[in-house]
Amino acid sequence: LGLNHVSRRWATTTHRTACCLAAIPGGADGPSGVLVGGEDYIEYVHEGMTPPPLPPGFEGAKKIPRRLISAIPRRELHPSSKGILITTITVLRQKKGKFFALAQSELGDVYKITLQVSKEDKSVVTKMTVCLLDTLPIGIGLNISKLALLFVPAEFGDHCLYQFDAIDIEGSAVTCTSEQTIAAYLKGESRASSSEDDEEDLFYASPENAAEFAPTFRPTILRNLHKVFTLDSLAPVTSILVGELAGNEVSPQLYALCGRGPTSSFRILRHGLSITELAVSELPGIPGAVFNVRDEKSGKNGKFYDRYIVVSFADATLVLSVGETVEEMGKESGFLTTEPTLACSALGNGDKGGGICQVYPGGVRHIQRGSVSQWHVPGIKKIECASANESQILIALVGGELIYFELDPLSGNLMEAATRDVGADVCSLDVGAVPKGKSRSLFAAVGCRDSTVRLLSLAPGSLLEQKSSTALGTTRPHSVALSNDLDSDTTGEITLSVGLDDGSALRAGVDPITGAISTSPSRRFLGARPVAVSRVTLQGSPATLLLSSRPWIGRGSSSGKGRHAMAPMSYAPLDHGCSFSNEAVREGIVATSGNTLRILSVGDNGGSDVVLGAEDDEAFNSNRVALRYTPRQMCLLSAKISTPGTSSAAAQSRKILLALVESDYNDFGEEEKKTMGFDGTGQLNKSSSKKKTGDSNRDVDDEAMDLDDESDDENTNMEEKKEVGDDDEEDEEDNEARVTPIRGPFPSEPGRWGSCVRLVDPADGCTTLECIEMNRNEAALCCASVRFHSRGGESLLAVGTTTGMTMNPLRHNSSHVILYRVVNGERLQLLHRTQVDDGPVLSLVHFQGRLLVGIGKTVRLYEMGKRQLLKKCELRGLPTMVKTLQAAGDRAFIGDMMQSIQYVRYDATANRLVLVAKDRSPRPITCQELLDLNTVAVGDKFGNISILRLPRGADVGAIDVTGTRALWDSSREDATPKLETLCNYHIGEVVTGMTRASLVAGGAESLIYVTVTGRVGALVPFSSREDVEFYSALEGFLRTEAPRPTGREPQAYRSYYSPVKHVIDGDLCDAYSQLPYEQKQKIAERLDRSVGEVMKKLEDTRNALL
């Protein structure tokens, strides 16, 4: 045999429902063999194994068992006719020849499996024990680390990391052994017509037999584990909506329906970094600037923390001392508090007290060792702007005169070093930060009112000598900042950031040797207000804070590939800001907004979850609202709100609400669950589980999680941290860490559904206003907002429901369309229910003041009546089943479940729906979005996105106004026009939803799509032929130059089902930034551009979307 050949050595039969297995350690570490997981049982199998020993009391039994098998504990409310399938098993090898296994069932219950070996022969297994550990979200695997951590990558929903509290649980948990299982088999009745082997197989194949003897339990909160970290996942996203519904934000939010079953959620996604507000304080006026002053003495860990926060007003300065509390300082600080502060900084590098400098309109004040020295402006001139760092001060007088001061390292005094007249009024300047290991900044940036930014040298031999400049066009600079991209001893790239008066920001690279500004600066619009730029620190790296009508943060990529990341902050607009650091807040921001002073940190956990600069994903933060069932669809509602005490129409205002429909198959409704005694939160046995957890904490000892020698030190540190954490842990946090999603009881017969309709208020954090449970076995599958002309245009909620529906075979008992009205923007009022026939209701849409309903193979138009909906007209005979519906004017696009798009027009004169055109390619449609009256974008089950358009003039002859056309002429297949395919693109994942929206206020619209794995993507339309030619050429070069991790050709992959057409692979083009510089330059030369121009083009395209 060759190296790539495998020969079968041994084979045996297992349980007929076996679906997973795990290897047992062999040799000196264990008996070897495998654990096989199936339905209701876990079996141990080994080559040449002998029949297991008989349990006590059955020594003389006639039947001889041949399997070492154990049943798993079952839930109390689980029907006896249904088995419980083990979906994954993992084995952890411990030290001293010990090991144990964990297995998870399809319900999420996790079991611990231990094997007992014979005392005479350590390779012979005599007993298997299965005990309940805890109930966790259903995962695709169980991963145990050497630090006593369990990671569960969830099948759907968030992934979780758990810490073991106890592992030796055999004496206290619900347990089932192989002896009990074999004893139950031996007690069973023998069948004369079957052999012993067949009889044993038949016994273990029956779920009723397992339900008779297996111990039962009721799932509760976590007892032996607690959650320590959650990794957010949107999978699966079933629907998406984009809009600014919060009411007080600049950019729109993304509203997504995510998850399945008990892990379902409603997510509000915001482009930007999450912000934690640490403190807010009122100020006596509107400040004009804010500064931080570093302490001269370093902290315990060698880092320098801030000593003062200096707030400047129009005619005064407020100094705040930073310690355990923030307190206002008076004259003892040495600051001149009767004048505004233009700049201030701590001087010196910490080993020698350089003091503090304060620049105010009348001069420069140096505070050192309790004494104050001042430099006054000569004549009647005033200082217009200034900048300072640890050793350098640069001031600009009215008229454009610059004066440069340096700190004498020997005497600690400030010395006037140079003067220069730039010939134009200066509106902003920055001397930059002193690089690590250096004594000075080599350049200063000066923004002038003649719409130029100049770079001046601060090197000793060429002080204030102009090195380069850049013109800004018609706008003026509002602020400038120089930052070093690399915080290391080596000289890194210097970035010049310029905030402009028109609300945009300009970023350009600066050569660290010559001081030349790059010829291809990147420009991005940030907001409607002039942009203020300042330096901050983010995750230990220098970053830039840009404040406009929305705050932004930008920094260089962590991979050093030349890519710059920029993201907004999900927070209210800020006026001024700078970095802030103390022992409690290592990396923070102190900022002003109106007449308030705020201390902020980036990230939910003080900066620990910042994702700015990730290579593939944009910075998004999300808020989560838990749902009861799997969300199916959502729609917007406009509700009238009446002010109490007034009756006039002018006193009524409108409120935007969101309606969600949720439903789960093979589940009970909320009322039925309560009747059965089921608690989805697991809080019923909360007190007992707490007591048990506290007792079992003593079980986590060296023997329980004793692993390899290489992890002994890590285990010791883990145990010490855990003891400290347990001492300080509060009950609330402990309860939150132990809450786990629990799936409801499994119905014994098919066709059972749990469903509800939920009304949420997006302006109030998406709080639930009302949640209405559907009738028994009734599933709400779709919803739509409809305005009937007969009701005066009031926005009503239409919900399509199906009762008793089964999936295989697909059938149902009845279908209904339910109408609700929103009462005062707070609750739903039922108007009436209308029973419909011909199939399940899967889609609804508002159509010309009426309701268009997709019912099975029929599309039907309804008008509102007093007691039910009134049928007006219908179109029968559609291919399989109506899945999606969208309407515009008198036209409707119908998405069929298997046969793509059908284009329909409504003939008002004849009151009928006419099929105008259809797609020539059969596509299993999952979602669609109208782009214009004749164009629609569709996503299908195979992961493709296509753009279809009605041919010009195809609908002219669709409606026969003469009445002379024969009926059979219009029904011929070859006579129906076909839709044109404009674009084709293979995403690679099932596209579950799409919408047309702009993610930036005032930006161009893009096609936003979501997939079953939780991806949020966008298709951006090109607006010029130049962009098309550039990206087509770049994509062609990258097909051969870009690395292929899987070895597949990119074009072949994007053409998996049909050839890619008129769509550029953005993921492939984005790989340009990951290439080595030589390859970048080679491709750029073939494009007749520089590397910087290509990178700028890629960044501009991304910025146009976000």
Side-chain angles (χ1 to χ4, degrees):
L1 293 178
L3 292 177
N4 294 326
H5 290 75
V6 177
S7 61
R8 188 174 74 171
R9 171 176 167 176
W10 168 74
T12 186
T13 58
T14 62
H15 192 264
R16 65 176 62 180
T17 59
C19 67
C20 60
L21 52 84
I24 299 298
D29 296 324
S32 77
V34 293
L35 289 175
V36 182
E39 200 171 81
D40 294 322
Y41 297 95
I42 297 174
E43 182 180 3
Y44 171 75
V45 180
H46 189 277
E47 179 184 5
M49 65 180 295
T50 58
L54 296 175
F58 291 88
E59 288 77 5
K62 296 181 180 180
K63 294 188 287 186
I64 301 177
R66 60 185 177 87
R67 292 183 172 181
L68 184 62
I69 191 170
S70 173
I72 60 174
R74 297 169 64 94
R75 294 192 181 184
E76 285 184 3
L77 300 177
H78 194 77
S80 60
S81 60
K82 291 186 178 294
I84 302 174
L85 185 67
I86 296 294
T87 58
T88 181
I89 303 179
T90 186
V91 177
L92 177 68
R93 182 179 64 84
Q94 296 172 288
K95 193 180 173 184
K96 305 173 185 177
K98 288 189 174 184
F99 65 91
F100 68 89
L102 293 183
Q104 188 177 38
S105 71
E106 59 181 335
L107 302 180
D109 302 320
V110 178
Y111 305 95
K112 181 193 175 187
I113 307 163
T114 54
L115 300 180
Q116 181 178 332
V117 298
S118 173
K119 296 181 180 179
E120 295 78 14
D121 188 355
K122 298 296 183 182
S123 63
V124 176
V125 177
T126 59
K127 181 181 177 181
M128 178 166 54
T129 302
V130 179
C131 51
L132 177 70
L133 182 69
D134 263 321
T135 299
L136 303 178
I138 301 173
I140 59 175
L142 300 172
N143 303 275
I144 309 174
S145 76
K146 295 181 179 180
L147 295 177
L149 296 173
L150 172 64
F151 179 66
V152 182
E155 183 182 28
F156 293 112
D158 297 339
H159 314 299
C160 299
L161 182 67
Y162 297 91
Q163 173 82 56
F164 281 95
D165 289 336
I167 195 61
D168 287 338
I169 58 174
E170 284 78 6
S172 57
V174 181
T175 304
C176 185
T177 65
S178 57
E179 291 180 348
Q180 296 174 344
T181 305
I182 295 174
Y185 162 64
L186 297 177
K187 287 180 182 178
E189 298 181 359
S190 301
R191 300 186 182 184
S193 59
S194 302
S195 64
E196 286 191 8
D197 291 348
D198 293 340
E199 185 177 348
E200 191 174 12
D201 291 340
L202 291 174
F203 177 83
Y204 293 131
S206 172
E208 287 84 356
N209 293 334
E212 287 182 2
F213 69 89
T216 60
F217 66 93
R218 178 164 294 190
T220 64
I221 60 175
L222 300 180
R223 299 185 179 192
N224 305 303
L225 299 164
H226 70 271
K227 190 190 304 180
V228 294
F229 181 74
T230 300
L231 182 63
D232 288 345
S233 172
L234 302 182
V237 185
T238 57
S239 182
I240 188 170
L241 189 147
V242 180
E244 207 297 281
L245 307 181
N248 56 357
E249 299 181 16
V250 178
S251 297
Q253 305 91 39
L254 280 74
Y255 297 87
L257 302 181
C258 309
R260 189 186 71 173
T263 60
S264 301
S265 62
F266 178 51
R267 305 288 181 104
I268 304 97
L269 301 174
R270 291 175 173 86
H271 177 226
L273 301 172
S274 59
I275 300 298
T276 302
E277 188 179 85
L278 303 177
V280 179
S281 178
E282 293 285 337
L283 294 174
I286 304 296
V290 62
F291 309 95
N292 65 323
V293 178
R294 174 177 54 83
D295 199 343
E296 296 178 355
K297 298 179 182 179
S298 61
K300 297 179 181 179
N301 53 2
K303 294 185 178 180
F304 290 93
Y305 296 125
D306 291 337
R307 181 182 179 184
Y308 296 123
I309 297 175
V310 181
V311 185
S312 174
F313 297 91
D315 56 355
T317 295
L318 176 66
V319 182
L320 303 174
S321 175
V322 179
E324 294 182 359
T325 59
V326 178
E327 299 177 353
E328 183 178 349
M329 298 286 290
K331 295 182 179 180
E332 64 273 14
S333 64
F335 280 81
L336 184 63
T337 58
T338 58
E339 293 284 340
T341 299
L342 303 178
C344 65
S345 174
L347 300 178
N349 54 9
D351 53 353
K352 296 181 180 179
I356 300 172
C357 73
Q358 178 192 13
V359 182
Y360 59 97
V364 179
R365 188 179 180 93
H366 187 196
I367 309 162
Q368 187 180 25
R369 300 185 186 95
S371 62
V372 176
S373 59
Q374 298 194 79
W375 176 89
H376 295 280
V377 178
I380 60 172
K381 289 187 176 182
K382 294 291 184 180
I383 300 176
E384 192 164 1
C385 53
S387 176
N389 59 23
E390 292 89 338
S391 60
Q392 299 162 296
I393 302 174
L394 183 63
I395 64 175
L397 305 183
V398 177
E401 182 181 356
L402 298 179
I403 303 177
Y404 173 65
F405 297 87
E406 275 190 356
L407 179 69
D408 187 356
L410 298 178
S411 64
N413 297 323
L414 285 174
M415 300 185 302
E416 183 177 343
T419 305
R420 174 188 170 90
D421 192 345
V422 296
D425 286 341
V426 178
C427 54
S428 58
L429 52 83
D430 182 53
V431 293
V434 178
K436 188 176 181 180
K438 307 292 182 181
S439 61
R440 67 173 66 223
S441 172
L442 295 179
F443 301 101
V446 179
C448 302
R449 297 191 186 275
D450 59 355
S451 299
T452 61
V453 175
R454 311 179 189 191
L455 208 66
L456 307 182
S457 172
L458 298 182
S462 55
L463 285 176
L464 300 185
E465 179 182 328
Q466 181 171 322
K467 292 294 184 180
S468 59
S469 65
T470 181
L472 304 177
T474 58
T475 184
R476 292 178 179 176
H478 181 75
S479 58
V480 293
L482 288 171
S483 59
N484 302 301
D485 284 352
L486 293 179
D487 190 13
S488 62
D489 294 338
T490 59
T491 301
E493 183 75 18
I494 299 176
T495 300
L496 171 64
S497 301
V498 183
L500 306 179
D501 283 342
D502 62 358
S504 57
L506 183 139
R507 178 179 52 83
V510 176
D511 189 287
I513 306 299
T514 64
I517 301 175
S518 65
T519 58
S520 55
S522 175
R523 190 165 178 170
R524 182 167 187 173
F525 180 75
L526 302 184
R529 287 160 43 178
V531 179
V533 184
S534 60
R535 288 183 300 274
V536 294
T537 303
L538 188 65
Q539 291 181 323
S541 301
T544 307
L545 177 66
L546 305 102
L547 303 178
S548 181
S549 54
R550 188 178 187 185
W552 292 69
I553 283 185
R555 74 169 183 187
S557 174
S558 56
S559 64
K561 297 290 185 179
R563 178 174 168 181
H564 186 85
M566 182 179 289
M569 297 163 57
S570 296
Y571 197 70
L574 302 175
D575 301 327
H576 312 280
C578 65
S579 63
F580 175 77
S581 177
N582 66 358
E583 292 186 359
V585 185
R586 300 298 174 88
E587 292 180 353
I589 296 172
V590 56
T592 63
S593 178
N595 63 338
T596 59
L597 181 70
R598 303 165 186 253
I599 297 178
L600 316 171
S601 69
V602 181
D604 289 333
N605 301 317
S608 60
D609 61 344
V610 180
V611 295
L612 179 61
E615 296 304 322
D616 299 322
D617 298 333
E618 282 291 333
F620 275 86
N621 69 89
S622 67
N623 294 335
R624 184 180 188 274
V625 178
L627 301 180
R628 190 175 294 175
Y629 307 102
T630 302
R632 302 291 176 175
Q633 209 170 0
M634 61 180 167
C635 67
L636 285 173
L637 291 174
S638 177
K640 291 183 179 180
I641 303 176
S642 300
T643 305
T646 58
S647 59
S648 61
Q652 293 184 345
S653 59
R654 290 199 170 270
K655 184 178 182 181
I656 300 298
L657 303 174
L658 273 172
L660 287 65
V661 292
E662 311 165 29
S663 58
D664 265 332
Y665 185 50
N666 278 337
D667 202 357
F668 291 103
E670 193 72 11
E671 293 299 326
E672 292 178 276
K673 290 178 182 178
K674 290 181 180 178
T675 304
M676 299 167 67
F678 173 78
D679 179 26
T681 62
Q683 301 286 338
L684 290 180
N685 297 334
K686 179 177 174 182
S687 58
S688 61
S689 66
K690 264 191 176 182
K691 180 180 178 181
K692 182 173 180 180
T693 302
D695 296 339
S696 60
N697 280 342
R698 298 193 298 267
D699 297 337
V700 185
D701 52 14
D702 294 337
E703 297 295 329
M705 294 298 288
D706 204 0
L707 304 175
D708 294 337
D709 293 336
E710 60 186 5
S711 62
D712 285 346
D713 295 337
E714 296 174 335
N715 284 336
T716 303
N717 295 335
M718 179 270 296
E719 290 170 2
E720 291 176 358
K721 291 179 181 178
K722 181 180 176 300
E723 290 174 3
V724 175
D726 286 341
D727 292 338
D728 300 336
E729 193 174 20
E730 297 181 359
D731 289 342
E732 242 178 73
E733 296 175 355
D734 182 69
N735 291 338
E736 186 177 347
R738 297 189 184 278
V739 171
T740 184
I742 301 175
R743 194 206 187 282
F746 208 94
S748 57
E749 68 276 357
R752 302 301 296 263
W753 289 80
S755 182
C756 68
V757 177
R758 187 183 301 265
L759 189 68
V760 299
D761 184 6
D764 188 23
C766 287
T767 55
T768 299
L769 300 177
E770 187 173 18
C771 187
I772 301 177
E773 278 284 326
M774 293 287 100
N775 293 339
R776 188 172 183 178
N777 298 342
E778 186 177 22
L781 301 177
C782 58
C783 63
S785 174
V786 58
R787 298 172 181 268
F788 290 100
H789 290 169
S790 57
R791 290 278 299 188
E794 180 184 3
S795 181
L796 304 178
L797 174 64
V799 179
T801 68
T802 302
T803 304
M805 185 170 68
T806 59
M807 298 300 179
N808 189 19
L810 185 60
R811 60 189 179 192
H812 68 287
N813 297 334
S814 61
S815 297
H816 294 82
V817 177
I818 310 175
L819 279 185
Y820 296 95
R821 70 182 293 260
V822 183
V823 180
N824 202 28
E826 295 177 349
R827 60 185 181 88
L828 294 173
Q829 178 186 3
L830 175 65
L831 294 180
H832 53 62
R833 299 165 56 93
T834 304
Q835 183 169 348
V836 298
D837 49 9
D838 294 335
V841 180
L842 298 182
S843 53
L844 304 164
V845 70
H846 170 83
F847 186 79
Q848 292 191 335
R850 296 175 179 178
L851 181 63
L852 191 63
V853 185
I855 312 167
K857 298 182 180 181
T858 304
V859 175
R860 191 171 295 162
L861 189 63
Y862 283 97
E863 180 61 87
M864 184 176 180
K866 291 184 178 180
R867 296 188 177 181
Q868 66 175 16
L869 294 175
L870 307 176
K871 182 170 64 175
K872 291 300 179 182
C873 66
E874 65 180 17
L875 177 64
R876 291 179 174 269
L878 294 172
T880 55
M881 187 171 293
V882 178
K883 179 65 174 65
T884 58
L885 272 176
Q886 280 190 304
D890 62 345
R891 312 176 180 197
F893 285 88
I894 303 171
D896 190 83
M897 192 170 283
M898 294 298 294
Q899 295 295 329
S900 193
I901 292 293
Q902 319 288 317
Y903 177 76
V904 171
R905 282 191 66 180
Y906 175 63
D907 184 2
T909 57
N911 190 28
R912 61 172 184 155
L913 295 168
V914 182
L915 179 63
V916 176
K918 60 177 66 175
D919 189 13
R920 64 179 74 250
S921 300
R923 310 175 199 270
I925 299 297
T926 56
C927 57
Q928 69 178 50
E929 176 68 18
L930 278 179
L931 303 182
D932 58 40
L933 283 175
N934 298 316
T935 313
V936 63
V938 298
D940 61 41
K941 194 185 297 183
F942 299 132
N944 302 302
I945 289 182
S946 306
I947 310 295
L948 308 176
R949 174 171 288 177
L950 182 71
R952 181 174 297 178
D955 59 338
V956 174
I959 298 178
D960 181 23
V961 295
T962 63
T964 58
R965 179 185 300 175
L967 258 178
W968 50 86
D969 284 345
S970 59
S971 61
R972 286 169 47 197
E973 177 68 23
D974 58 351
T976 304
K978 301 298 186 290
L979 298 174
E980 298 176 349
T981 302
L982 299 184
C983 303
N984 253 330
Y985 189 70
H986 180 64
I987 299 295
E989 304 169 11
V990 180
V991 182
T992 54
M994 58 175 59
T995 183
R996 187 184 79 250
S998 171
L999 298 181
V1000 179
E1005 286 187 335
S1006 303
L1007 184 63
I1008 314 298
Y1009 67 87
V1010 291
T1011 68
V1012 71
T1013 62
R1015 178 199 292 186
V1016 180
L1019 297 176
V1020 181
F1022 286 131
S1023 57
S1024 66
R1025 173 63 62 180
E1026 179 190 356
D1027 290 344
V1028 175
E1029 293 174 352
F1030 168 79
Y1031 278 104
S1032 299
L1034 178 62
E1035 183 187 28
F1037 295 141
L1038 287 172
R1039 283 173 184 165
T1040 57
E1041 298 290 340
R1044 303 179 186 176
T1046 61
R1048 300 190 65 178
E1049 207 279 319
Q1051 188 175 14
Y1053 175 70
R1054 297 304 181 187
S1055 307
Y1056 197 87
Y1057 284 92
S1058 56
V1060 62
K1061 184 177 182 182
H1062 296 164
V1063 180
I1064 302 296
D1065 191 345
D1067 293 333
L1068 181 62
C1069 293
D1070 205 40
Y1072 178 82
S1073 60
Q1074 308 298 323
L1075 297 176
Y1077 186 78
E1078 292 76 15
Q1079 283 184 284
K1080 287 183 183 179
Q1081 196 165 18
K1082 178 183 174 182
I1083 294 175
E1085 289 175 355
R1086 297 167 71 179
L1087 292 171
D1088 295 329
R1089 295 173 183 251
S1090 66
V1091 175
E1093 289 174 342
V1094 177
M1095 295 290 292
K1096 179 178 179 295
K1097 190 74 173 178
L1098 291 170
E1099 187 176 341
D1100 289 345
T1101 303
R1102 181 181 288 267
N1103 293 344
L1105 173 67
L1106 293 171

